[in-house]
Amino acid sequence: MSNVTRQTPPTVASTRQPLHAFIPARRMLRPGPLAGRYPAVAAMVVLFLVPYLALSAALQPITPLISGTLHISPQATSLASGMANAAYAAGTVLAVQFAQHLPQRRMMLIYAAFLVTGSVLAAAATDAPMFIVGHILQGLCTSLLLIAAAPPLFLGYPAARLRWSAMIMNMCLFGAVTAGPLIGGAQASFHAWRPLFWIVAGIAAAGLAMSLLTFQDAPPADRAAPRDPAALGLAAAGSVAAFWGASELITHRFLDPVAVVPLLAGLALIIGLWVYQYHAPRPLLTLRSLASTIPVTGVVVAICAAPRPRRRWD
């Protein structure tokens, strides 16, 4: 008989575990039935980006109809459009900051829900505040969705898809803006503006449905990235001032201080944002790579400004 004492293996509970072993893993949500399918993701991008861009270009012919129905001046309607465009411009910077620290695919569902809400508010507006709030939400959420939905279309698929992605984005941005005046003129010929806004609301709802069907959870791009309130403040103040001044040109001369002062101040703030981000050690916007790329289009700005995740986009 051996004198060796039989040792009992230590249990997990009696073993000293490293501290990180007790940190729960982030729970990933179940993907949608169309997750990862390129045609479905491309359709979602089109549904999100085209309506507001086409609507912005279509507003001029139907502005008198909106003013007459809601009993607001053409200047107030122009100001609403200007503030929506300002929200669209500033929202790009805000979306990049959100993408660094928040799960972007989950945030995309929130952006899409607010886009539907804003579209319904604008279409069903009974007074000026309701219309202005709804239209500003349309601009802001479209910009947020530009960063949330478009980069995965370029970065999440093989290089062979890049040509199709570029064509889709060109159709979204330039095709929608080109078709806008034709759509607005056709709508004005029927002496009604609400049907166009309800169509936009319906397309936004379809985009929300597609975002649920193509959902595939992903972590934030970089939780260690610095927060940059200065860049957000410069983007917001510069966009609002510039588009406010541009809106005042409807009823004022170009050299009128009411129009030219905020316009020039806004442009100065935006230039200051570019200079600040160019020289920042850890910039929010990757402007150094843009400085060597000419010409620079809105698509390139959106893609280069988007944060690079640490793993493959879906």
Side-chain angles (χ1 to χ4, degrees):
M1 184 174 181
S2 176
N3 293 328
V4 178
T5 305
R6 187 177 180 181
Q7 300 292 327
T8 303
T11 62
V12 175
S14 64
T15 305
R16 184 177 180 83
Q17 299 291 324
L19 183 61
H20 63 78
F22 297 98
I23 300 176
R26 179 176 175 270
R27 181 171 177 267
M28 303 296 285
L29 299 180
R30 181 181 300 177
L34 299 180
R37 298 188 180 182
Y38 182 85
V41 175
M44 179 189 66
V45 171
V46 173
L47 291 173
F48 279 148
L49 301 187
V50 167
Y52 174 76
L53 296 174
L55 183 63
S56 297
L59 276 181
Q60 185 175 357
I62 61 176
T63 293
L65 300 175
I66 298 174
S67 301
T69 302
L70 302 180
H71 306 290
I72 57 178
S73 65
Q75 181 182 3
T77 307
S78 175
L79 182 61
S81 178
M83 291 303 96
N85 290 332
Y88 181 89
T92 303
V93 182
L94 182 63
V96 174
Q97 184 73 92
F98 283 167
Q100 298 281 6
H101 301 280
L102 299 172
Q104 190 66 352
R105 296 308 300 266
R106 301 185 190 186
M107 294 302 297
M108 186 171 67
L109 299 180
I110 298 175
Y111 304 154
F114 275 104
L115 177 62
V116 174
T117 302
S119 299
V120 171
L121 284 176
T126 56
D127 52 27
M130 188 174 175
F131 176 81
I132 292 173
V133 169
H135 195 44
I136 290 176
L137 271 178
Q138 286 179 309
L140 175 62
C141 294
T142 300
S143 179
L144 295 173
L145 288 165
L146 174 64
I147 296 299
L153 193 65
F154 283 83
L155 306 176
Y157 294 94
R161 298 281 191 179
L162 187 60
R163 180 180 62 179
W164 290 99
S165 300
M167 183 184 69
I168 290 169
M169 292 302 297
N170 284 331
M171 291 296 294
C172 285
L173 296 178
F174 305 115
V177 173
T178 302
L182 177 63
I183 295 172
Q187 186 64 62
S189 66
F190 292 100
H191 304 286
W193 61 274
R194 291 189 191 275
L196 177 58
F197 277 79
W198 280 118
I199 291 173
V200 169
I203 295 174
L208 175 58
M210 288 299 297
S211 67
L212 291 170
L213 293 173
T214 60
F215 179 82
Q216 189 169 349
D217 206 359
D222 186 7
R223 291 185 184 274
R227 291 175 171 81
D228 199 338
L232 297 178
L234 286 171
S239 300
V240 170
F243 282 103
W244 183 290
S247 301
E248 291 294 329
L249 292 176
I250 299 296
T251 55
H252 296 82
R253 294 179 295 118
F254 178 75
L255 296 180
D256 195 316
V258 175
V260 72
V261 170
L263 179 61
L264 294 179
L267 293 177
L269 288 172
I270 293 173
I271 293 173
L273 170 65
W274 277 70
V275 173
Y276 164 63
Q277 288 291 285
Y278 185 86
H279 294 286
R282 295 189 66 185
L284 183 62
L285 308 176
T286 55
L287 298 181
R288 293 176 186 174
S289 61
L290 290 180
S292 60
T293 305
I294 300 175
V296 178
T297 66
V299 178
V300 178
V301 171
I303 299 305
C304 293
R308 294 299 190 266
R310 293 180 176 177
R311 73 178 193 177
R312 179 180 177 270
W313 287 90
D314 52 73

